[in-house]
Amino acid sequence: MYTQALNSPEEGSHAEDAVRASRFQARIDAEERIEPNAWMPAAYRKTLVRQISQHAHSEIVGMLPEGNWITRAPSLRRKAALLAKVQDECGHGLYLYAAAETLGASREELVDAMLAGKAKYSSIFNYPTLTWADIGVIGWLVDGAAIMNQIPLCRCSYGPYARAMIRVCKEESFHQRQGYEIMLTLCRGTAEQKAMAQEALNRWWWPVLMMFGPPDQASQHSDASTKWKIKRFSNDELRQKFIDATVPQAQYLGLTMPDPEMKQDEQGHWRHGPIDWNEFKQVLAGNGPCNRDRLAARRKAHADGAWVRDAAAAYAEKRARRQMAQAAE
Amino acid sequence: MATPNTPLWEVFIRSRNGLAHKHCGSLHAPDATMALQAARDLYTRRGEGLSIWVVPSSAITASDPADKGMMFEPAESKIYRHPTFYEVPEEVGHM
């Protein structure tokens, strides 16, 4: 059940907490799922609220770069698919907010933190979508990388998060395939179309690799998350898996990875050249190409919708009052 | 300005004729009508259902996980409530 009311933080002595904490870890080690009304360490709850709400914000902000192309999609088929995809992203954001709320955070607090610029979302959505080929690359690579990250989350120790991810992963598979289809069509088209596809790949490749987060030596959240089975693979492991899956797909398209140092090692893994982590830090710090635009667009949408929320709340209240009055008669 | 709170609803969907409504998630909506519309948009984008129930989350009473033993353990020892507890000779055939 997804309620907030059951999640009042419990207070207890430290000795009692240590017993509960070891019992909790034993449940995790036994691959049991933790449900909202079970006892959990405060740090576990905090880590999950942070991660799930960031994930939800990413889905919501992620509608913007693609929404930008809905009115300019090259055919009705592409437009219908893109519209459905953007609707899915919205749905994914809402499943995830609901999962975060089971931990005692309120939807309104989470949304307000994002609008205030206090909460993070995925760095990738701070890059612009300059051509139609970007929509292909986003589906193929951005959603591809997201799926790579999300499949292990379907087995995350926290039940509501794992269940939300199962739903999300089922729906994401269409996103990646429609993106690859766009790329394939462009690559089989005119020389200009193929060049457009290559140019989009050049711009997105490195930011996509950054989606997996900092290299393992530098990641600040991994240790506890691994112990709690929130995270099941390291950033570098997932990044490598993604690259190994993607390189043959690019070869099939006849595109070149924009990494002169990329080569296949003896085990068959495709090894990438150095990633510019300074760019990643800058984008997270708010200095990416579109950070300000994205936040401004979210704030405008939220402000423009205020009268709808107000009207709906006023109407619900009026009806409730009327029902009370009728019941009293 | 902080966003005002909107009530939470639990959503149950009947996926096929003959099956029970099953809990699939939750959402926020100001009233039942809007909760139904939002549930349709959020949880049935791919033909997942034929019927939806929405229930105010505040109307649900849940068992306490601390009472799990008291509530459910007594049933565990009562294996005689299952058909496999009873022996029927093979010659008798399927029963």
Side-chain angles (χ1 to χ4, degrees), chain A residues 132-147:
Chain A
W132 173 250
D134 290 39
I135 299 307
V137 172
I138 287 183
W140 172 37
L141 298 182
V142 174
D143 288 278
I147 292 171

Side-chain angles (χ1 to χ4, degrees), chain A residues 1-4 37-38 87-88 91-92 94-95 98 101 106-108 112 167 171 174 302 309 312-313 315-316, chain B residues 1-6 8 10 23-28 30-31 33-34 42-43 45-46 48 57 60 62-63 65:
Chain A
M1 181 176 97
Y2 283 18
T3 58
Q4 302 161 12
N37 43 9
Q87 271 187 308
D88 274 355
H92 298 173
L94 298 181
Y95 308 154
E101 285 172 84
S106 84
R107 171 80 54 102
E108 291 76 12
D112 288 347
R167 235 192 132 82
E171 298 181 353
F174 124 65
H302 193 71
R309 292 191 297 274
Y315 180 69
Chain B
M1 192 190 76
T3 311
N5 285 295
T6 307
L8 191 64
E10 300 303 321
H23 183 244
C24 68
S26 55
L27 52 81
H28 290 264
D31 61 32
T33 311
M34 292 194 75
L42 188 54
Y43 291 106
R45 289 196 301 283
R46 288 178 175 78
E48 288 92 336
S57 300
I60 291 179
S63 66

Side-chain angles (χ1 to χ4, degrees), chain B residues 63-85:
Chain B
S63 66
D64 186 338
D67 296 340
K68 202 172 79 182
M70 183 184 78
M71 301 269 285
F72 308 113
E73 226 159 59
E76 273 170 32
S77 57
K78 296 178 177 55
I79 49 171
Y80 47 84
R81 286 181 174 170
H82 296 279
T84 47
F85 180 76

Side-chain angles (χ1 to χ4, degrees), chain A residues 6 48 63 72 84-85 98 132 139 143 150-151 183 186 210 221 226-227 244-245 258 264 304 313-314:
Chain A
L6 294 165
L48 278 170
M63 290 193 280
R72 294 180 287 166
K85 179 175 188 299
W132 173 250
D143 288 278
Q150 287 167 353
I151 283 179
M183 295 304 281
L186 289 173
M210 293 174 200
H221 301 303
T226 305
K227 188 183 84 181
D244 289 341
Q264 203 169 19
D304 289 352

Side-chain angles (χ1 to χ4, degrees), chain A residues 38-56:
Chain A
W39 184 89
M40 61 186 85
Y44 177 82
R45 186 185 299 276
K46 200 176 149 197
T47 298
L48 278 170
V49 170
R50 195 199 67 241
Q51 179 172 337
I52 301 173
S53 64
Q54 281 179 6
H55 196 159

